[in-house]
Amino acid sequence: MATTSNIERLIDVVLGKAHRSCGDLRDDWAAIQLGGEAARKELAAMGAPAVPSLIPHVEDGNIRSVLREMGDAAAAPLV
């Protein structure tokens, strides 16, 4: 079941907020992208229950990608 705290944790991973820097920008970027990929898939699988938590972050391209992947499940809550 999708809980708000789990959704927020996954959003933080997608946005890179959960990442601790290793000091190398390239390695940091790669780690954020790899970790974010799994989190994006998990959020997309949650569907409509995750949409309200995603809306405040819609300016981020990765969050928009999650919403697009949700398709119809995201449409009604967004409208």
Side-chain angles (χ1 to χ4, degrees):
M1 179 171 182
T3 64
T4 302
S5 62
N6 189 36
I7 292 168
E8 293 297 330
R9 180 187 60 78
L10 291 169
I11 290 171
D12 285 348
V13 171
V14 170
L15 297 175
K17 292 180 180 179
H19 177 72
R20 293 195 180 170
S21 177
C22 68
D24 183 314
L25 291 177
R26 289 176 295 182
D27 287 344
D28 284 341
W29 184 85
I32 290 168
Q33 291 304 308
L34 289 173
E37 182 179 349
R40 286 190 299 273
K41 288 180 182 179
E42 194 170 339
L43 283 166
M46 288 179 184
V51 174
S53 297
L54 293 169
I55 291 173
H57 308 287
V58 76
E59 73 280 351
D60 183 85
N62 290 318
I63 297 297
R64 286 192 306 269
S65 174
V66 170
L67 292 167
R68 277 191 299 275
E69 190 171 328
M70 283 181 186
D72 290 342
L78 284 170
V79 175

